[in-house]
Amino acid sequence: MKKILKIFIIISILMAAGGGAAVYFLSKGGDEVSQFDSRRHLDQSDQEDSHAYRFETDSLATELSREGENKNVMNFDDGDFFTVAYSKSSRDRLDRLIRRSNPDFEKPLIAYNPFGTLPNTYYFYFKTQSPCMVRYTITVEDEKIPDHIRYINNGNTKNLGTEHEFIVGGLIPGMRNYIVLELLDGNGSHREDITYKVDVPDMQSPTRIQHERGKSDYRLENGLFFLLPKNDKYIYFYDNNGTLRGCMNTESEHGGRVYANDSHVIYQTAGTHVVRLNRIGQVEGVAIFTGIRQILDFAYDDYENVFALIQNGKRYQVVRTSMKGGKTELVYTFEKGMKPTSLSSVVSGNLYVSLSNPMGIMRIDGLLSERPKVKLVVGLKKDWKKTTLKKRVIDPTAPKKKKKTEDDKDKKDDKDAASGEAVEVEPEQKKDLPLVGWNMNESVLSLVRGESNGTIDTLTFAVDKGRLIHAVKLQIDSKKKEAKLLFQKETEFDGKVFVQWDPSGHAIVGNGTRGTYEERDGDFKVTREFTYSSGFDGVWKHSLEGMCFYP
């Protein structure tokens, strides 16, 4: 019996030791994954000092050639790029080439900008025998320019797969660029790599723009600044170091907005056209507004519907059409004398509109119904008293009605409290009240997605107040019919100012008149300020994580 007990104790000790070892190695593996997640985030920040270029890089790199005996890049004919039909024909051609060539990592299928929408980009397709992820690095000889690193998002669990299709962007115009493609395992460990080189032609926009650090010690958020210069049909991408990393093409003009979600980029390509691109630049939808002259602003509902603000004679309207084609339909006509300035993105079938006359913000509900209606208006009651919407006005500066409770019985007006009679209570006197002294002639709305749920929405925009431009963050509770000023602070002296607030707390503030833009931290301190060479119609920052890149 003692012998059996002794054996049992020994086995228990060994099992305990084994379990401890298993926990150790599992936790160690978790640490490795966590470290890789952190490393990946830093790699894609464009703020690291990494520099993959070496003395021997040029001699070891394979040149990307679109013509001649060493041609290894497919070319696609020019055409009407911004049609679903053209993109589909290019997609079909790529699929035929893939079936015929059976590309692998050593001999991938490479095509130059196959859909015509993303100049200076290269399409890659290949298969690997075992699951892996792909990382690409854009490096140049100039040591002052940090590497541009991205992890391709293939949509699979842990980002591992055997089929790899992606666009390599981030190439710097006017320079020889080196593309280092790497295969990695699930922990980010290197398995195999190959290097290409290509000379990229100059573009109209400057390759590098001046920038200065601000008083904030925080790092910039990951992503690229989408800059829409005046009198230029291209939309340019600048990284966190002010380096030009590519562009998007248009038919004739770009408007003032770029939307991005986890699967598409949506932007204007002509006076009445809006397109939707997927992660490889293919046009998957085109909204063409008919019977109008010009889109003043547009909004997208993340499905197929695009809404545009237009002027029809002396009246302004919101109209709608679909990415799948079809007629242009009237959604809402503003009353005579009303002057809307911008639209927010669409959430739950609702749309916010900023107005300079009467000054305020209105919300239109039921955009796809037969009779969309104004749900509410945030404004000063005195400004809206001559309109038919005066009963829908939420005035944050007006006295609020409040019922007294049983605790007030001993007070002089306990009789009114017992009867439930409402009494007027003056709002708290604050330094800054919503709408007071605001001029919204050039306000451009942006919805803070992470802080909006369809009932309580957070809008951000800029207003002219007291000859200074203020950045504003306004929360609107449609259920309680309340508007709360979350933030109001001076940011610029003059100009048309764009404000975009990231749910993480960082803000992008761009002055289109002066040609400057900056990123600010959660305390609204400047992290970095950039100076562009001319004015622009808009600036928006998007990471494209979840769409193109593994976050």
Side-chain angles (χ1 to χ4, degrees):
M1 183 69 182
K2 290 182 178 179
K3 186 176 182 181
I4 294 174
L5 182 61
K6 184 177 181 181
I7 293 172
F8 175 77
I9 292 172
I10 292 172
I11 291 173
S12 299
I13 293 172
L14 290 173
M15 288 180 66
V23 170
Y24 169 77
F25 284 111
L26 283 172
S27 62
K28 185 176 185 295
D31 289 342
E32 288 179 356
V33 172
S34 177
Q35 289 173 5
F36 173 50
D37 290 344
S38 299
R39 180 71 257 169
R40 186 176 62 242
H41 181 79
L42 291 175
D43 282 347
Q44 297 184 118
S45 72
D46 296 320
Q47 297 174 81
E48 296 293 278
D49 294 328
S50 58
H51 199 238
Y53 179 86
R54 298 291 181 268
F55 177 77
E56 67 276 9
T57 299
D58 189 78
S59 60
L60 296 176
T62 299
E63 186 167 3
L64 292 178
S65 179
R66 297 168 59 189
E67 56 186 13
E69 294 181 0
N70 298 321
K71 178 181 177 181
N72 57 2
V73 177
M74 300 299 301
N75 295 309
F76 281 68
D77 297 333
D78 291 339
D80 193 354
F81 298 140
F82 295 100
T83 63
V84 173
Y86 177 87
S87 265
K88 184 179 183 304
S89 67
S90 296
R91 175 75 260 183
D92 292 343
R93 185 184 175 196
L94 287 173
D95 290 339
R96 290 194 299 269
L97 291 169
I98 290 169
R99 289 194 297 269
R100 292 174 187 172
S101 58
N102 193 25
D104 57 21
F105 184 64
E106 288 73 24
K107 291 185 178 181
L109 173 63
I110 309 173
Y112 175 78
N113 185 21
F115 304 104
T117 57
L118 300 170
N120 299 331
T121 63
Y122 288 83
Y123 166 94
F124 280 80
Y125 180 95
F126 56 85
K127 291 184 178 180
T128 52
Q129 292 184 348
S130 59
C132 59
M133 69 175 71
V134 176
R135 173 175 64 193
Y136 72 76
T137 299
I138 307 299
T139 189
V140 295
E141 187 175 356
D142 189 344
E143 294 183 357
K144 295 180 181 178
I145 301 178
D147 292 343
H148 179 81
I149 303 172
R150 293 295 186 267
Y151 292 75
I152 301 301
N153 180 17
N154 62 22
N156 295 329
T157 303
K158 296 184 178 180
N159 204 38
L160 298 174
T162 57
E163 186 176 21
H164 309 276
E165 180 183 54
F166 54 92
I167 287 285
V168 170
L171 301 174
I172 304 174
M175 303 187 73
R176 170 162 286 195
N177 291 254
Y178 299 89
I179 305 168
V180 183
L181 290 185
E182 295 178 85
L183 299 181
L184 311 176
D185 64 18
N187 292 324
S189 298
H190 177 270
R191 289 173 51 179
E192 195 173 351
D193 67 78
I194 189 170
T195 302
Y196 297 93
K197 60 184 176 182
V198 60
D199 293 324
V200 180
D202 260 324
M203 300 205 73
Q204 181 175 327
S205 197
T207 299
R208 303 193 73 186
I209 60 175
Q210 179 183 347
H211 57 87
E212 296 179 0
R213 289 290 305 185
K215 294 182 179 180
S216 172
D217 294 328
Y218 283 88
R219 295 171 63 90
L220 278 72
E221 291 289 291
N222 285 8
L224 294 171
F225 295 93
F226 286 63
L227 197 67
L228 297 84
K230 292 183 179 296
N231 305 315
D232 191 329
K233 76 169 194 170
Y234 291 102
I235 299 172
Y236 298 99
F237 318 142
Y238 281 89
D239 68 16
N240 283 328
N241 290 296
T243 303
L244 180 59
R245 290 293 180 179
C247 68
M248 288 193 300
N249 195 9
T250 70
E251 298 169 83
S252 58
E253 59 185 274
H254 50 52
R257 280 203 194 262
V258 176
Y259 288 107
N261 55 30
D262 285 344
S263 56
H264 296 95
V265 170
I266 302 94
Y267 67 104
Q268 194 174 331
T269 62
T272 57
H273 298 179
V274 176
V275 302
R276 182 179 65 205
L277 304 186
N278 68 10
R279 66 186 186 90
I280 58 175
Q282 180 180 352
V283 175
E284 291 191 342
V286 181
I288 300 177
F289 290 90
T290 57
I292 70 170
R293 294 170 54 189
Q294 182 73 38
I295 295 172
L296 303 178
D297 195 9
F298 78 94
Y300 179 61
D301 70 352
D302 284 339
Y303 295 100
E304 299 292 342
N305 302 292
V306 181
F307 301 85
L309 175 65
I310 67 167
Q311 185 172 4
N312 186 358
K314 294 184 179 180
R315 302 279 285 272
Y316 289 87
Q317 297 176 328
V318 174
V319 294
R320 177 186 71 88
T321 191
S322 170
M323 284 283 183
K324 291 185 176 180
K327 64 180 181 178
T328 299
E329 299 177 348
L330 176 64
V331 174
Y332 184 81
T333 298
F334 295 88
E335 294 179 27
K336 186 177 180 180
M338 287 187 178
K339 187 179 179 181
T341 63
S342 72
L343 309 178
S344 74
S345 51
V346 179
V347 174
S348 303
N350 308 322
L351 176 71
Y352 287 96
V353 185
S354 61
L355 298 97
S356 61
N357 185 43
M359 185 192 64
I361 296 172
M362 72 165 56
R363 190 176 110 176
I364 305 174
D365 284 22
L367 295 173
L368 299 180
S369 66
E370 291 185 3
R371 297 185 64 184
K373 294 182 179 180
V374 175
K375 171 77 173 181
L376 57 85
V377 174
V378 178
L380 300 175
K381 287 188 175 181
K382 64 182 181 62
D383 293 341
W384 290 81
K385 64 182 180 180
K386 294 183 179 179
T387 73
T388 62
L389 302 174
K390 58 187 177 183
K391 292 184 178 180
R392 301 190 183 278
V393 174
I394 299 171
D395 186 345
T397 69
K400 295 180 180 179
K401 291 184 177 181
K402 182 179 179 181
K403 286 186 178 181
K404 292 194 174 184
T405 64
E406 293 182 2
D407 295 334
D408 300 314
K409 287 182 179 180
D410 295 333
K411 294 183 179 180
K412 185 177 180 180
D413 52 353
D414 58 344
K415 184 177 180 180
D416 292 335
S419 64
E421 184 179 340
V423 296
E424 289 189 344
V425 179
E426 291 292 335
E428 292 183 30
Q429 294 299 315
K430 297 181 180 180
K431 182 180 179 181
D432 293 315
L433 284 172
L435 307 169
V436 176
W438 286 7
N439 181 333
M440 297 181 68
N441 280 335
E442 295 190 301
S443 294
V444 178
L445 292 183
S446 180
L447 190 69
V448 187
R449 289 284 186 150
E451 299 181 13
S452 303
N453 59 20
T455 301
I456 301 176
D457 295 317
T458 302
L459 296 167
T460 180
F461 48 95
V463 298
D464 188 341
K465 180 181 178 183
R467 298 182 179 179
L468 289 173
I469 308 298
H470 289 233
V472 171
K473 205 174 182 182
L474 185 69
Q475 186 181 82
I476 300 174
D477 188 329
S478 60
K479 187 175 182 179
K480 294 183 178 180
K481 295 191 180 336
E482 293 179 349
K484 181 180 180 182
L485 186 62
L486 301 180
F487 183 91
Q488 179 177 312
K489 196 164 186 178
E490 300 169 5
T491 178
E492 297 286 326
F493 293 108
D494 56 16
K496 183 169 184 177
V497 176
F498 306 89
V499 182
Q500 176 192 13
W501 227 289
D502 187 272
S504 66
H506 287 238
I508 308 300
V509 179
N511 191 321
T513 305
R514 293 168 55 193
T516 61
Y517 61 93
E518 59 198 22
E519 184 163 334
R520 292 175 174 251
D521 65 16
D523 297 322
F524 211 62
K525 292 180 180 178
V526 175
T527 303
R528 187 169 294 183
E529 182 179 10
F530 301 85
T531 302
Y532 192 62
S533 59
S534 61
F536 49 79
D537 296 318
V539 59
W540 310 95
K541 192 172 189 180
H542 299 293
S543 71
L544 302 185
E545 289 182 351
M547 176 186 172
C548 297
F549 309 120
Y550 191 47

Short mmCIF file of all heavy atoms in Angstrom, two decimals, residues 319-351:
data_model
loop_
_atom_site.label_atom_id
_atom_site.label_comp_id
_atom_site.label_asym_id
_atom_site.label_seq_id
_atom_site.Cartn_x
_atom_site.Cartn_y
_atom_site.Cartn_z
N VAL A 319 -30.69 65.12 -52.05
CA VAL A 319 -31.15 64.13 -53.02
C VAL A 319 -30.41 62.82 -52.79
O VAL A 319 -29.37 62.79 -52.13
CB VAL A 319 -30.97 64.61 -54.47
CG1 VAL A 319 -31.86 65.80 -54.77
CG2 VAL A 319 -29.50 64.96 -54.74
N ARG A 320 -30.94 61.76 -53.37
CA ARG A 320 -30.36 60.43 -53.15
C ARG A 320 -30.28 59.65 -54.45
O ARG A 320 -31.14 59.77 -55.32
CB ARG A 320 -31.22 59.65 -52.15
CG ARG A 320 -30.75 58.21 -51.91
CD ARG A 320 -31.72 57.45 -51.02
NE ARG A 320 -32.97 57.14 -51.72
CZ ARG A 320 -33.16 56.06 -52.46
NH1 ARG A 320 -32.19 55.18 -52.64
NH2 ARG A 320 -34.33 55.85 -53.03
N THR A 321 -29.23 58.85 -54.56
CA THR A 321 -29.15 57.85 -55.61
C THR A 321 -28.39 56.65 -55.08
O THR A 321 -27.95 56.65 -53.93
CB THR A 321 -28.52 58.40 -56.90
OG1 THR A 321 -28.71 57.46 -57.97
CG2 THR A 321 -27.03 58.64 -56.71
N SER A 322 -28.23 55.62 -55.93
CA SER A 322 -27.65 54.37 -55.46
C SER A 322 -26.33 54.07 -56.16
O SER A 322 -26.11 54.47 -57.30
CB SER A 322 -28.63 53.21 -55.71
OG SER A 322 -28.01 51.96 -55.48
N MET A 323 -25.46 53.36 -55.47
CA MET A 323 -24.21 52.89 -56.07
C MET A 323 -24.47 51.86 -57.18
O MET A 323 -23.60 51.58 -57.98
CB MET A 323 -23.33 52.24 -54.99
CG MET A 323 -22.64 53.23 -54.08
SD MET A 323 -21.24 54.01 -54.88
CE MET A 323 -20.61 55.03 -53.54
N LYS A 324 -25.67 51.32 -57.20
CA LYS A 324 -26.02 50.35 -58.23
C LYS A 324 -26.69 51.00 -59.44
O LYS A 324 -27.16 50.32 -60.35
CB LYS A 324 -26.97 49.29 -57.64
CG LYS A 324 -26.29 48.38 -56.64
CD LYS A 324 -27.24 47.29 -56.18
CE LYS A 324 -26.54 46.31 -55.24
NZ LYS A 324 -27.44 45.22 -54.78
N GLY A 325 -26.73 52.32 -59.45
CA GLY A 325 -27.37 53.03 -60.56
C GLY A 325 -28.81 53.36 -60.22
O GLY A 325 -29.28 53.15 -59.11
N GLY A 326 -29.52 53.93 -61.18
CA GLY A 326 -30.91 54.30 -60.95
C GLY A 326 -31.08 55.81 -60.94
O GLY A 326 -30.13 56.57 -61.04
N LYS A 327 -32.33 56.22 -60.80
CA LYS A 327 -32.64 57.64 -60.88
C LYS A 327 -32.27 58.38 -59.60
O LYS A 327 -32.05 57.78 -58.54
CB LYS A 327 -34.12 57.83 -61.18
CG LYS A 327 -35.06 57.32 -60.09
CD LYS A 327 -36.52 57.54 -60.48
CE LYS A 327 -37.45 57.05 -59.36
NZ LYS A 327 -38.88 57.31 -59.69
N THR A 328 -32.19 59.69 -59.71
CA THR A 328 -31.92 60.55 -58.57
C THR A 328 -33.25 60.98 -57.96
O THR A 328 -34.12 61.51 -58.66
CB THR A 328 -31.12 61.79 -59.01
OG1 THR A 328 -29.87 61.35 -59.57
CG2 THR A 328 -30.86 62.72 -57.84
N GLU A 329 -33.40 60.75 -56.67
CA GLU A 329 -34.67 61.02 -56.00
C GLU A 329 -34.52 62.15 -54.99
O GLU A 329 -33.49 62.27 -54.33
CB GLU A 329 -35.16 59.76 -55.28
CG GLU A 329 -35.42 58.59 -56.22
CD GLU A 329 -35.85 57.34 -55.46
OE1 GLU A 329 -35.70 57.34 -54.21
OE2 GLU A 329 -36.32 56.38 -56.09
N LEU A 330 -35.57 62.94 -54.86
CA LEU A 330 -35.58 64.02 -53.88
C LEU A 330 -35.85 63.45 -52.49
O LEU A 330 -36.75 62.64 -52.30
CB LEU A 330 -36.68 65.03 -54.24
CG LEU A 330 -36.89 66.18 -53.24
CD1 LEU A 330 -35.64 67.06 -53.16
CD2 LEU A 330 -38.11 67.00 -53.63
N VAL A 331 -35.05 63.87 -51.52
CA VAL A 331 -35.23 63.44 -50.13
C VAL A 331 -35.86 64.55 -49.30
O VAL A 331 -36.82 64.33 -48.57
CB VAL A 331 -33.86 63.04 -49.52
CG1 VAL A 331 -34.01 62.73 -48.02
CG2 VAL A 331 -33.29 61.83 -50.25
N TYR A 332 -35.32 65.77 -49.44
CA TYR A 332 -35.81 66.87 -48.60
C TYR A 332 -35.50 68.20 -49.26
O TYR A 332 -34.41 68.39 -49.83
CB TYR A 332 -35.16 66.82 -47.22
CG TYR A 332 -35.67 67.85 -46.24
CD1 TYR A 332 -36.85 67.64 -45.55
CD2 TYR A 332 -34.97 69.04 -46.03
CE1 TYR A 332 -37.33 68.58 -44.66
CE2 TYR A 332 -35.45 69.99 -45.14
CZ TYR A 332 -36.64 69.76 -44.46
OH TYR A 332 -37.12 70.69 -43.59
N THR A 333 -36.46 69.13 -49.20
CA THR A 333 -36.26 70.49 -49.69
C THR A 333 -36.29 71.46 -48.52
O THR A 333 -37.23 71.46 -47.73
CB THR A 333 -37.36 70.88 -50.70
OG1 THR A 333 -37.30 69.99 -51.83
CG2 THR A 333 -37.15 72.30 -51.18
N PHE A 334 -35.25 72.24 -48.38
CA PHE A 334 -35.16 73.21 -47.30
C PHE A 334 -36.07 74.41 -47.59
O PHE A 334 -36.30 74.77 -48.75
CB PHE A 334 -33.72 73.68 -47.11
CG PHE A 334 -32.80 72.58 -46.67
CD1 PHE A 334 -32.16 71.79 -47.59
CD2 PHE A 334 -32.58 72.35 -45.32
CE1 PHE A 334 -31.30 70.77 -47.19
CE2 PHE A 334 -31.74 71.33 -44.90
CZ PHE A 334 -31.09 70.53 -45.85
N GLU A 335 -36.56 75.01 -46.54
CA GLU A 335 -37.45 76.15 -46.69
C GLU A 335 -36.72 77.34 -47.32
O GLU A 335 -35.48 77.44 -47.25
CB GLU A 335 -38.02 76.54 -45.32
CG GLU A 335 -38.93 75.47 -44.74
CD GLU A 335 -39.47 75.85 -43.37
OE1 GLU A 335 -39.59 77.07 -43.10
OE2 GLU A 335 -39.78 74.95 -42.58
N LYS A 336 -37.47 78.19 -47.91
CA LYS A 336 -36.90 79.38 -48.56
C LYS A 336 -36.09 80.20 -47.56
O LYS A 336 -36.54 80.47 -46.45
CB LYS A 336 -38.03 80.24 -49.14
CG LYS A 336 -37.54 81.41 -49.97
CD LYS A 336 -38.72 82.16 -50.58
CE LYS A 336 -38.24 83.35 -51.40
NZ LYS A 336 -39.38 84.10 -51.99
N GLY A 337 -34.88 80.56 -47.95
CA GLY A 337 -34.02 81.35 -47.08
C GLY A 337 -33.06 80.52 -46.26
O GLY A 337 -32.08 81.05 -45.72
N MET A 338 -33.31 79.22 -46.13
CA MET A 338 -32.41 78.36 -45.37
C MET A 338 -31.14 78.08 -46.19
O MET A 338 -31.21 77.86 -47.40
CB MET A 338 -33.07 77.02 -45.01
CG MET A 338 -34.11 77.13 -43.92
SD MET A 338 -34.70 75.49 -43.40
CE MET A 338 -35.82 75.93 -42.10
N LYS A 339 -29.99 78.09 -45.51
CA LYS A 339 -28.73 77.83 -46.19
C LYS A 339 -27.94 76.75 -45.46
O LYS A 339 -27.22 77.02 -44.51
CB LYS A 339 -27.90 79.11 -46.27
CG LYS A 339 -26.65 78.91 -47.14
CD LYS A 339 -25.83 80.19 -47.24
CE LYS A 339 -24.59 79.94 -48.09
NZ LYS A 339 -23.74 81.16 -48.19
N PRO A 340 -28.06 75.50 -45.90
CA PRO A 340 -27.26 74.42 -45.31
C PRO A 340 -25.82 74.50 -45.80
O PRO A 340 -25.55 74.98 -46.90
CB PRO A 340 -27.95 73.16 -45.83
CG PRO A 340 -28.61 73.58 -47.10
CD PRO A 340 -28.99 75.02 -46.92
N THR A 341 -24.88 74.01 -44.98
CA THR A 341 -23.46 74.08 -45.34
C THR A 341 -22.81 72.71 -45.52
O THR A 341 -21.83 72.59 -46.25
CB THR A 341 -22.66 74.87 -44.29
OG1 THR A 341 -22.72 74.17 -43.03
CG2 THR A 341 -23.21 76.27 -44.13
N SER A 342 -23.32 71.68 -44.83
CA SER A 342 -22.68 70.37 -44.95
C SER A 342 -23.59 69.27 -44.43
O SER A 342 -24.60 69.54 -43.78
CB SER A 342 -21.35 70.33 -44.18
OG SER A 342 -21.58 70.31 -42.78
N LEU A 343 -23.20 68.01 -44.72
CA LEU A 343 -23.91 66.83 -44.25
C LEU A 343 -22.97 65.99 -43.40
O LEU A 343 -21.76 65.98 -43.62
CB LEU A 343 -24.38 65.97 -45.43
CG LEU A 343 -25.17 66.63 -46.55
CD1 LEU A 343 -25.49 65.60 -47.63
CD2 LEU A 343 -26.45 67.25 -46.02
N SER A 344 -23.54 65.26 -42.45
CA SER A 344 -22.76 64.28 -41.71
C SER A 344 -22.88 62.93 -42.42
O SER A 344 -23.66 62.77 -43.36
CB SER A 344 -23.27 64.14 -40.28
OG SER A 344 -24.50 63.42 -40.28
N SER A 345 -22.10 61.94 -41.97
CA SER A 345 -22.33 60.59 -42.47
C SER A 345 -23.66 60.07 -41.94
O SER A 345 -24.22 60.60 -40.98
CB SER A 345 -21.18 59.66 -42.05
OG SER A 345 -20.94 59.75 -40.67
N VAL A 346 -24.18 59.04 -42.56
CA VAL A 346 -25.52 58.53 -42.25
C VAL A 346 -25.43 57.43 -41.20
O VAL A 346 -24.59 56.52 -41.31
CB VAL A 346 -26.21 57.99 -43.51
CG1 VAL A 346 -27.60 57.45 -43.17
CG2 VAL A 346 -26.30 59.09 -44.57
N VAL A 347 -26.27 57.48 -40.18
CA VAL A 347 -26.35 56.44 -39.16
C VAL A 347 -27.81 56.07 -38.93
O VAL A 347 -28.64 56.94 -38.68
CB VAL A 347 -25.72 56.90 -37.82
CG1 VAL A 347 -25.94 55.85 -36.74
CG2 VAL A 347 -24.23 57.16 -37.99
N SER A 348 -28.11 54.78 -39.08
CA SER A 348 -29.47 54.27 -38.83
C SER A 348 -30.53 55.02 -39.63
O SER A 348 -31.63 55.28 -39.15
CB SER A 348 -29.81 54.35 -37.32
OG SER A 348 -28.86 53.64 -36.57
N GLY A 349 -30.20 55.38 -40.86
CA GLY A 349 -31.16 56.06 -41.72
C GLY A 349 -31.39 57.51 -41.39
O GLY A 349 -32.35 58.11 -41.89
N ASN A 350 -30.51 58.10 -40.57
CA ASN A 350 -30.65 59.49 -40.16
C ASN A 350 -29.45 60.30 -40.63
O ASN A 350 -28.34 59.78 -40.77
CB ASN A 350 -30.77 59.60 -38.64
CG ASN A 350 -31.85 58.70 -38.09
OD1 ASN A 350 -32.91 58.54 -38.69
ND2 ASN A 350 -31.59 58.08 -36.94
N LEU A 351 -29.67 61.60 -40.83
CA LEU A 351 -28.63 62.46 -41.38
C LEU A 351 -28.68 63.82 -40.70
O LEU A 351 -29.74 64.44 -40.58
CB LEU A 351 -28.85 62.63 -42.89
CG LEU A 351 -27.92 63.56 -43.66
CD1 LEU A 351 -26.54 62.94 -43.76
CD2 LEU A 351 -28.47 63.82 -45.05
#
